[in-house]
């Protein structure tokens, strides 16, 4: 029978790298006596001893239930040792680094709902009330737009690489990863007068990126003055109903 670890003990069972609980194997101990969980890669200098796997701890940990690493955000789940990864990937309290951080250096992280407030405060120009924006393909640029529909949150990335002659697009659903393959999207690149357009399609997951050759795009659209990027979502009705009911 599994037992819940008391808080007084939990505060000592924390990874020295990511500050999460030591709830994922392999748990290793460095030459300095620091514990590292299985989420992290131990980076040691060549002349340092190899980290040692703490197999005795792992055997004891199999008898315990660990809190979710998003406990401080409100999650009350307790998970068996080495099963935390599955839950943490779908946890509704999962936090995200601000996607605009690489450009704006704000260092913020939080839930998708909190991210809306953060964007309003720090990156208001990157909030989309409708799923379209004007593309700038004349200079190197990288933008992370935030868009919400049916209480579902999406990160829309646009990147223009002039030297490579490429425009890159990705749409990421900021929620349980198991739903990413079910949510599809289509990127429609069109002239401002909508006389000609070009479409790209993909699933809303972090590993999916769509690419288009800029010269080909300009030729297909007949050398437009402006290009509008419109994202058309295809979200299953059961997901829409579920999130509307939850919120």
């Amino acid at each position: 029978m599994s037992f819940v670890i008391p808080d007084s003990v939990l505060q000592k069972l924390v990874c020295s790298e990511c500050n999460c609980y030591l709830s994922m194997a392999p748990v290793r101990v460095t030459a300095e006596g620091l514990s590292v969980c299985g989420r992290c890669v131990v980076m040691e200098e060549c002349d340092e001893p190899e980290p040692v796997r703490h197999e005795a701890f792992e055997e004891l940990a199999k008898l315990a239930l660990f809190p979710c690493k998003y406990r401080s955000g409100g999650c009350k789940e307790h998970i068996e040792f080495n099963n935390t990864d599955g839950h943490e990937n779908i946890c509704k309290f999962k936090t995200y680094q601000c996607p605009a951080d690489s450009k704006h250096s704000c260092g913020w992280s939080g839930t998708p709902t909190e991210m809306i407030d953060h964007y309003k405060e720090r990156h208001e120009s990157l909030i989309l009330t409708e799923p379209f924006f004007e593309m700038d393909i004349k200079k190197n640029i990288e933008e992370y737009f935030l868009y919400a529909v049916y209480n579902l949150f999406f990160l829309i990335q646009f990147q223009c690489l002039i030297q490579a002659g490429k425009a890159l697009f990705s749409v990421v659903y900021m929620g349980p990863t198991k739903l990413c393959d079910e949510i599809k999207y289509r990127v429609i690149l069109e002239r401002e007068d909508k006389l000609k357009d070009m479409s790209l399609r993909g699933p809303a997951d972090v590993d999916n990126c769509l690419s288009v050759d800029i010269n080909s795009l300009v030729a297909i659209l007949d050398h437009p003055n402006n290009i509008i990027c419109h994202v058309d979502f295809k979200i299953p009705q059961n997901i829409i109903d579920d999130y509307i009911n939850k919120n």
Side-chain angles (χ1 to χ4, degrees):
M1 183 176 178
S2 300
F3 65 92
V4 175
I5 302 174
D7 285 351
S8 58
V9 177
L10 267 176
Q11 63 186 5
K12 300 176 183 178
L13 304 181
V14 176
C15 176
S16 60
E17 293 289 322
C18 66
N19 291 319
C20 295
Y21 300 117
L22 297 174
S23 55
M24 189 178 296
V27 175
R28 291 156 293 181
V29 180
T30 68
E32 292 79 18
L34 302 175
S35 297
V36 182
C37 75
R39 302 177 185 86
C40 302
V41 177
V42 183
M43 302 299 291
E44 293 287 334
E45 298 296 333
C46 293
D47 57 349
E48 291 289 335
E50 285 283 334
V52 178
R53 186 164 182 173
H54 203 329
E55 295 183 4
F57 170 82
E58 291 182 21
E59 288 301 314
L60 289 172
K62 291 176 183 177
L63 304 175
L65 295 175
F66 288 81
C68 171
K69 73 176 184 180
Y70 301 116
R71 178 190 189 190
S72 60
C75 185
K76 300 185 183 301
E77 292 289 331
H78 283 79
I79 310 108
E80 293 179 344
F81 178 73
N82 214 31
N83 288 331
T84 52
D85 190 39
H87 167 77
E88 289 168 359
N89 283 333
I90 65 172
C91 181
K92 66 179 182 179
F93 296 99
K94 183 177 180 178
T95 58
Y96 297 82
Q97 289 293 123
C98 173
D101 186 49
S102 60
K103 182 176 179 181
H104 299 279
S105 301
C106 61
W108 181 92
S109 66
T111 65
T113 303
E114 293 169 337
M115 191 175 290
I116 286 286
D117 293 330
H118 169 69
Y119 260 60
K120 287 178 179 177
E121 182 180 342
R122 294 290 301 273
H123 318 296
E124 189 170 11
S125 63
L126 298 178
I127 296 176
L128 299 179
T129 55
E130 298 292 339
F132 60 83
F133 58 91
E134 185 174 333
M135 294 167 49
D136 185 348
I137 57 171
K138 298 181 178 65
K139 62 181 180 181
N140 289 318
I141 191 170
E142 185 174 13
E143 297 289 11
Y144 293 87
F145 298 98
L146 194 61
Y147 176 66
V149 60
Y150 303 121
N151 292 312
L152 301 167
F153 298 89
F154 296 91
L155 179 66
I156 301 174
Q157 180 187 9
F158 164 62
Q159 188 174 10
C160 184
L161 305 173
I162 295 297
Q163 289 183 325
K166 298 288 185 181
L168 306 178
F169 305 86
S170 68
V171 177
V172 178
Y173 168 53
M174 302 177 68
T177 53
K178 65 179 181 180
L179 299 182
C180 289
D181 287 339
E182 298 183 49
I183 300 174
K184 309 294 184 182
Y185 71 92
R186 177 174 58 140
V187 172
I188 305 169
L189 308 175
E190 58 189 5
R191 294 169 56 98
E192 193 170 25
D193 56 18
K194 299 185 179 181
L195 292 178
K196 294 187 178 183
D197 64 51
M198 179 179 184
S199 297
L200 308 168
R201 301 172 186 269
D205 65 66
V206 71
D207 296 322
N208 186 63
C209 183
L210 305 178
S211 173
V212 62
D213 181 83
I214 293 176
N215 289 332
S216 298
L217 173 63
V218 171
I220 290 172
L221 299 186
D222 196 17
H223 303 278
N225 292 323
N226 297 298
I227 299 177
I228 306 299
C229 176
H230 182 274
V231 182
D232 182 28
F233 291 93
K234 185 177 181 181
I235 306 171
Q237 190 61 46
N238 64 300
I239 295 178
I240 295 174
D241 294 340
D242 186 42
Y243 273 77
I244 288 177
N245 292 334
K246 282 182 178 179
N247 295 277

